[in-house]
Amino acid sequence: MSEKITFTPLSYTGWDSLAHLLEEVKRFDVKKILVITDPFLKDIGLTNKVVDPLEEAGYVTEIYTDVVPEPPLAIGEKLVAYTRENLFDMVIGVGGGSALDLTKLAGVLASHEGKVEDYLNLTGTKKITNKGLPKILIPTTSGTGSEVTNISVLSLETTKDVVTHDYLLADVAIVDPALTISLPPKVTAATGVDALTHAVEAYVSKNASVVSDALALQAIRLISNSIRTAVSNGQDKQARTDMSYGSYLAGLAFFNAGVAGVHALAYPLGGQFHIAHGDSNAVLLPYVMGYIRQSCEKRMKDIYDAMGFSSVNLSQEEASYRCVGELKRLVEDVNIPCTLKGFNIPEDAIESLTNDAVEQKRILARSPMPLLKEDIYTIYKATFDGI
Ligand code: NAD
């Protein structure tokens, strides 16, 4: 059986890799650059680490800061309209997944007609036909892997949807852990467990391949080994570097193998209760994996080993069971609530969360165990009570 593997054409990784930005911009015939970031990153001077060298080299740059976490569709519509009106030659995204997703969207839809809504995966009717503007993506969180995926996620009224096409892939990704040093513990934890979830779901996905397996297992090793230190001591250069590589590898893994049940159930939590994407994934991760464990015991055993434990004297069944326990322990250790109650979600919301999660058919299809409406309800219920 043949497999399709897609990578972003060019990435720079490692400490101070941002130094490669100028030489990369010079490869493109551009003058006027839109830098898309969030207001906080501009205020703390992080965005200027990108903009200053470009301005010194004579490029005209404009900083766009109308980015909010988990960006709603309206924010995307506004940015795309702005990009079309102002005729930029290139877009550069600096930030977490929220800024990067908007950058890809703006870069591609700058050269298309119609609303962003027309291009949404679940309800859109228009097709993406060209690549649009050159795109450079520079993550400042170690989480989403957005810098290497072809996906832009937008929040709708009660759930999330995506615009996706290979034209959304960055021309260049620069993954510099030095840019993540300022991440506070809470964001480090949520984004870090998001990356771990990408790797775990990619590894058990029905679409997993030899290549995505290698990426996912190394991501699980790096993240499991470094996330506690990155949360408790954000200045630890090694932990930040490992988290940065871990989220990058996890992004490549899930872009090629896909995510499944955890994400399908997490999207409505973000949509209905505005819980950060990483937290939504984190609270669900142990419960979804616990529920589907028996459909992928061998793979859960491998994850247990990659997390730094030894399954040598254990049956596959026992190792997979312990794996679920260790995933839960990791989430608790980085101080993320382990129940829906802990996020103040009322029990009577389980019905509407279930109804929205069921709609994520494309994502659910990759689960190693089919997840029907009653399964999804049962998982939310277990996550509510924490049992
Ligand atoms: P985010 O971009 O929403 O940022 C979260 C917070 O962290 C913001 O307040 C931001 O200002 C702050 N922050 C970011 N970098 C910082 C730094 N270096 N120092 C201090 N503060 C910093 O968070 P995220 O989790 O990276 O992105 C979430 C979004 O990405 C969601 O919309 C989610 O659906 C999407 N997502 C996209 C993909 C994809 O493949 N495109 C994958 C997963 C998630």
Side-chain angles (χ1 to χ4, degrees), residues 176-190:
D176 184 344
L179 302 177
T180 66
I181 281 283
S182 53
L183 273 174
K186 199 171 173 320
V187 187
T188 304

Side-chain angles (χ1 to χ4, degrees), residues 336-356:
I336 299 177
C338 251
T339 61
L340 293 183
K341 264 188 211 160
F343 284 99
N344 298 322
I345 292 174
E347 193 167 7
D348 61 9
I350 293 178
E351 192 76 47
S352 66
L353 289 169
T354 303
N355 290 339
D356 281 347

